[in-house]
Amino acid sequence: MTGNAATGRLSILGMGPGDPELMTIKAARILRESPVVAWFCRHDRPGHARQIAGDMLPERAKTLRFAYPFTTEIPVSDPAYLVRMATFYDECAEHIAGHLQNGQDVTLLCEGDPFLFGSAMYVFDRLHERFACTVVPGITAMGGCWSTARQPMVHGDDVLCVIPGTLDEATLTTWLERADAAVIMKLGRNLEKVRTALRHAGREERAIYVERATQPQQCWMKLTDMTGPAPYFSIILVPGREDAR
Ligand SMILES: C[S@@+](CC[C@H](N)C(=O)[O-])C[C@H]1O[C@@H](n2cnc3c(N)ncnc32)[C@H](O)[C@@H]1O
């Protein structure tokens, strides 16, 4: 879809892991020129992607803040989750489509890279055949995390596995046994289950916990030194082969 002059263009911007300096020059340019800027967020939070944008958001831009109807209240495995989220994304996409149909460009902000566990994908799926669409890649959270922790991850023919912590313990263990290196995302309340799976897979000792990478509050440590709850913005890194000199 290349679009036509009468309709607006949807730009989906990867905003990087948190440090605004890790946004691409292209994302920053499009953001500064945007008449309408949208983002997703928890109902009680401003939104990570919006915070990264900071004062780069044009003062006169119309803003569309899409607050999720729920976050952890309904488990992903519950069929109601998919139905209610699909309705929510339908409504968000139609809201954006209204602006595009009026000839206004719309920019949708997304933390990290938009096509890696990003909500923006659900808008893209619904609109990219109807409107011109640009996707600007972003530095992923995992890239931010391993750079912050100064932890090389994959050498040579190591296989990296990116695993959502929302999986059940047995599935997590299977993937962790199989992968040379692994990144486990979406920790939060899944932390203890992930810890158990790492132990069963014999990978707990090498695992590194990273929280809010590239942001002022960032911290990282060996997982075995980590106590207490994990916030949503945290990742576990399991490096592949050790120092490859
Ligand atoms: C919905 S996914 C979004 C991933 C994002 N699109 C990307 O490209 O990395 C959210 C998960 O990313 C991870 N995450 C995002 N930002 C992070 C950060 N600054 N530090 C640690 N983990 C982060 C957490 O695991 C969080 O649960």
Side-chain angles (χ1 to χ4, degrees), residues 6 96 102 121 146 178 200 245:
I96 289 173
N102 286 339
M121 288 185 293
W146 60 55
R178 194 157 172 220
H200 289 161
R245 277 176 292 185

Side-chain angles (χ1 to χ4, degrees), residues 16-19 48 68 110-119 138-145 183-188 210-215 231-236:
D19 178 351
H48 191 33
Y68 298 113
C110 187
E111 75 201 38
D113 183 273
F115 282 3
L116 184 78
F117 295 131
S119 296
I139 294 177
T140 59
M142 61 183 151
C145 287
V183 171
I184 309 164
M185 302 180 67
K186 304 186 187 183
L187 292 181
V210 189
E211 186 176 306
R212 301 182 202 281
T214 82
Q215 297 175 256
Y232 179 70
F233 290 107
S234 60
I235 269 181
I236 290 174

Side-chain angles (χ1 to χ4, degrees), residues 52-228:
I52 298 168
D55 59 12
M56 272 190 230
L57 201 106
E59 254 176 43
R60 290 206 307 258
K62 180 171 176 51
T63 55
L64 308 177
R65 178 181 176 275
F66 296 130
Y68 298 113
F70 50 86
T71 45
T72 53
E73 298 86 344
I74 303 182
V76 181
S77 52
D78 186 330
Y81 180 96
L82 287 182
V83 174
R84 289 185 57 187
M85 287 308 282
T87 305
F88 170 66
Y89 288 127
D90 284 345
E91 289 166 2
C92 297
E94 283 317 304
H95 199 133
I96 289 173
H99 287 279
L100 297 170
Q101 260 147 7
N102 286 339
Q104 280 183 307
D105 291 339
V106 178
T107 296
L108 178 58
L109 310 179
C110 187
E111 75 201 38
D113 183 273
F115 282 3
L116 184 78
F117 295 131
S119 296
M121 288 185 293
Y122 300 102
V123 172
F124 174 84
D125 289 343
R126 286 162 171 77
L127 297 183
H128 76 100
E129 287 172 352
R130 290 164 60 193
F131 300 99
C133 184
T134 298
V135 181
V136 180
I139 294 177
T140 59
M142 61 183 151
C145 287
W146 60 55
S147 303
T148 292
R150 298 193 303 274
Q151 177 58 62
M153 284 294 291
V154 273
H155 295 89
D157 54 5
D158 280 351
V159 175
L160 170 66
C161 191
V162 180
I163 308 172
T166 45
L167 293 176
D168 63 75
E169 189 186 300
T171 311
L172 283 167
T173 306
T174 303
W175 283 113
L176 288 165
E177 283 169 343
R178 194 157 172 220
D180 296 312
V183 171
I184 309 164
M185 302 180 67
K186 304 186 187 183
L187 292 181
R189 61 175 61 182
N190 299 302
L191 178 67
E192 289 314 313
K193 175 184 61 179
V194 169
R195 211 192 269 275
T196 306
L198 281 160
R199 197 171 306 138
H200 289 161
R203 311 298 289 271
E204 193 187 15
E205 281 301 314
R206 293 201 66 212
I208 296 160
Y209 169 83
V210 189
E211 186 176 306
R212 301 182 202 281
T214 82
Q215 297 175 256
Q217 325 89 300
Q218 70 180 15
C219 65
W220 70 97
M221 63 199 80
K222 280 173 66 83
L223 180 64
T224 48
D225 293 338
M226 194 274 182
T227 53

